[in-house]
């Protein structure tokens, strides 16, 4: 079974996600290819998708990205399609989002996960930082997480599992085939998050 994984986007840390996913496939000894997914057609052709960080309002406004997002919406209605969203990707996956400073942003969202996400949750003083996290689904060993103007999850539905917290902030969630993280797992050389996502993909691919 060969997997085809897409990394969606027009800007952001796309290359880093592609490299981390390739490395994770190699470590797991799973056959697969990783493509940079820009169009709706490409979205329809993959078994699972990564939505990277960036600036969620900007990427939501880009028209090509908009069409690719429509394809994702179509696909998640038809099948259990695994998606990993990181940082801005987590925001885009949410049903509800607002900004800590400016409030409502009325931005384009996928609405895949039953969560409310607060953008820029950590404020301006703490724009970027690193922290050791316990992520329940990847094992006991802590994960060095990079946070860049990160969001956090403020409310979640009954089917959502909290998989990582930083103090009182919820920074990792899972809802069936969807995984959302407030930080950037592609910026470290620890590939356990990508390995976990590949396992999830194998579980859902029939
Ligand atoms: N603050 C950005 C947003 O709200 C997300 C930052 C990121 O993806 N690193 O869209």
């Amino acid at each position: 079974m060969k997997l085809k994984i897409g990394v969606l986007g027009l800007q952001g840390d796309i290359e880093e996600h592609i490299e981390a996913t390739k490395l994770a496939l190699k470590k797991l000894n799973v056959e697969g290819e990783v493509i940079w997914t820009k169009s709706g057609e490409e979205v329809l052709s993959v078994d699972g998708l990564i939505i990277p960080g960036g600036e969620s309002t900007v990427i939501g406004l880009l028209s090509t990205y908009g069409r690719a997002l429509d394809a994702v919406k179509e696909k998640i209605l038809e099948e259990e399609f695994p998606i990993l969203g990181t940082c801005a990707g987590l925001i885009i996956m949410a049903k509800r989002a607002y900004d800590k400073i400016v409030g409502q942003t009325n931005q384009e969202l996928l609405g895949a996960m039953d969560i409310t996400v607060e953008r820029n949750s950590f404020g301006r003083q703490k724009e970027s930082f690193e922290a050791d996290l316990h992520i329940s689904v990847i094992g006991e060993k802590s994960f060095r997480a990079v946070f860049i103007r990160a969001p956090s999850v403020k409310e979640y539905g009954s089917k959502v599992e909290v998989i990582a917290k930083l103090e009182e902030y919820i920074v990792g969630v899972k809802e069936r085939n969807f995984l959302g993280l407030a930080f950037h797992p592609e910026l470290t050389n620890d590939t356990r998050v990508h390995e976990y996502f590949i396992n999830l993909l194998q579980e859902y691919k029939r």
Side-chain angles (χ1 to χ4, degrees), residues 13 52-59 86-89 91 99 107 119-120 147-151 182 184:
D13 37 4
E55 203 52 51
S56 60
T57 38
V58 177
I59 50 192
T86 63
C87 204
I91 300 167
D99 188 283
Q107 66 196 97
R119 297 176 56 204
N120 301 304
F147 290 81
I148 305 168
R149 296 189 305 284
H184 289 264

Side-chain angles (χ1 to χ4, degrees), residues 112-132:
M113 297 186 82
D114 187 11
I115 52 176
T116 304
V117 176
E118 180 181 69
R119 297 176 56 204
N120 301 304
S121 238
F122 297 88
R124 295 198 198 278
Q125 282 80 12
K126 248 185 156 188
E127 285 217 322
S128 309
F129 59 95
E130 292 185 15
D132 286 320

Side-chain angles (χ1 to χ4, degrees), residues 90 93-95 111-115 160 173-175 178-180:
L90 163 71
M93 281 172 83
K95 275 205 164 77
M113 297 186 82
D114 187 11
I115 52 176
V160 177
V173 281
K174 178 177 187 283
E175 183 174 357
F178 303 128
L179 200 61

Side-chain angles (χ1 to χ4, degrees), residues 29-198:
N29 205 12
V30 169
E31 225 196 317
E33 60 170 320
V34 191
I35 64 159
W36 181 352
T37 315
K38 294 180 197 164
S39 68
E41 290 89 79
E42 283 162 341
V43 167
L44 297 176
S45 80
V46 296
D47 301 309
L49 194 69
I50 297 176
I51 307 182
E55 203 52 51
S56 60
T57 38
V58 177
I59 50 192
L61 283 174
L62 297 168
S63 65
T64 336
Y65 190 85
R67 280 199 289 279
L69 276 190
D70 286 342
V72 181
K73 281 184 191 158
E74 198 182 302
K75 199 153 165 135
I76 56 183
L77 285 178
E78 280 167 18
E79 55 184 288
E80 288 179 310
F81 178 53
I83 306 180
L84 163 65
T86 63
C87 204
L90 163 71
I91 300 167
I92 285 167
M93 281 172 83
K95 275 205 164 77
R96 302 162 295 272
Y98 65 92
D99 188 283
K100 187 176 183 173
I101 301 144
V102 303
Q104 286 309 323
T105 48
N106 295 324
Q107 66 196 97
E108 175 80 20
L109 301 173
L110 265 183
M113 297 186 82
D114 187 11
I115 52 176
T116 304
V117 176
E118 180 181 69
R119 297 176 56 204
N120 301 304
S121 238
F122 297 88
R124 295 198 198 278
Q125 282 80 12
K126 248 185 156 188
E127 285 217 322
S128 309
F129 59 95
E130 292 185 15
D132 286 320
L133 286 186
H134 175 248
I135 307 174
S136 63
V137 295
I138 65 164
E140 273 310 304
K141 203 177 130 224
S142 69
F143 188 91
R144 189 81 185 151
V146 180
F147 290 81
I148 305 168
R149 296 189 305 284
S152 74
V153 176
K154 292 297 175 192
E155 290 168 351
Y156 55 94
S158 58
K159 295 198 175 72
V160 177
E161 197 188 328
V162 173
I163 60 166
K165 277 179 102 173
L166 177 65
E167 294 155 13
E168 76 276 19
Y169 293 94
I170 298 171
V171 294
V173 281
K174 178 177 187 283
E175 183 174 357
R176 304 185 324 269
N177 42 317
F178 303 128
L179 200 61
L181 306 173
F183 51 92
H184 289 264
E186 75 288 4
L187 297 183
T188 46
N189 38 34
D190 189 338
T191 55
R192 284 179 295 157
V193 166
H194 290 82
E195 288 172 43
Y196 176 72
F197 183 60
I198 291 165

